[in-house]
Amino acid sequence: MEALHIRSMLGLLKIAGVLLSVGGTMIISLYKGKILHLWNPILHRHNEEDSKVLKVYPYKYWSSMATCLVGGFQTALAGVILRRDKNAWKIGWDINLVTIVYSGALATAGKYSLNSWAVAKKGPSYPPMFSPLSVVFTVVLGSIFIGDDITIGSLIGTILVIVGTYVFLWAKANELPEK
């Protein structure tokens, strides 16, 4: 829980930082503007004739499930190598079982389902919009690696997200600890 002291300068700066970050993500998503050609991409976009994931896995959730299964097997293998105590691997009807079911059903499967639904409805930039810095990384790395366009809107939005994040963090760091 974050304490908001609206009558203090630091509280107002924290609110301003949040508004700048959210506003920046909205500008990235909603305003395009002129395309800036800052660098050449490392990888190039594939043509429509090239093979794609949906041609190999025609059911869109199967590729996500296969990714989760492979990641699960890799994690289990690392766990068995690093944790050899048999008692650590016992699962009973307790909070450990609830944690496993929750993280598998909601945190992984639910997230993939909601993200793919949001991408289908609003486009690929919509899901990361709720985590401002991931939008900045998406814009920059997408431009560097696959040649996504950097536009005036994405540049302005990126600057606002970074400024907003640091304004919030500066105000938070300068707050006096509560006693």
Side-chain angles (χ1 to χ4, degrees):
M1 294 294 289
E2 186 65 36
L4 279 181
H5 303 286
I6 298 174
R7 293 193 172 110
S8 73
M9 179 58 82
L10 293 175
L12 292 174
L13 282 174
K14 285 171 37 178
I15 292 170
V18 168
L19 292 176
L20 282 171
S21 290
V22 171
T25 59
M26 297 299 286
I27 288 173
I28 291 171
S29 297
L30 300 175
Y31 175 69
K32 299 299 177 207
K34 184 179 177 184
I35 296 174
L36 304 172
H37 301 285
L38 301 177
W39 48 68
N40 291 326
I42 293 174
L43 304 173
H44 297 286
R45 289 182 185 256
H46 295 289
N47 295 331
E48 290 298 319
E49 300 86 33
D50 291 346
S51 64
K52 294 189 178 182
V53 173
L54 288 178
K55 287 184 181 177
V56 177
Y57 296 102
Y59 304 104
K60 63 182 176 180
Y61 297 119
W62 279 99
S63 62
S64 296
M65 187 185 78
T67 302
C68 290
L69 284 174
V70 170
F73 288 135
Q74 290 174 343
T75 304
L77 179 64
V80 167
I81 291 170
L82 296 175
R83 189 78 187 255
R84 297 188 184 263
D85 180 23
K86 291 181 183 179
N87 290 328
W89 292 95
K90 291 182 181 176
I91 299 175
W93 290 96
D94 57 2
I95 193 69
N96 291 333
L97 181 63
V98 172
T99 303
I100 292 168
V101 171
Y102 169 80
S103 65
L106 294 177
T108 303
K111 183 180 108 175
Y112 275 119
S113 298
L114 289 173
N115 274 345
S116 63
W117 175 79
V119 166
K121 293 289 182 188
K122 298 287 186 178
S125 67
Y126 190 75
M129 175 171 142
F130 299 104
S131 179
L133 287 177
S134 69
V135 176
V136 172
F137 293 130
T138 301
V139 168
V140 173
L141 294 176
S143 173
I144 291 171
F145 286 108
I146 59 175
D148 285 347
D149 295 329
I150 289 192
T151 63
I152 297 291
S154 63
L155 188 62
I156 291 170
T158 297
I159 291 168
L160 286 175
V161 167
I162 292 170
V163 168
T165 301
Y166 282 106
V167 165
F168 178 85
L169 292 174
W170 182 84
K172 179 74 176 151
N174 287 305
E175 280 183 332
L176 295 175
E178 293 182 15
K179 295 183 180 181

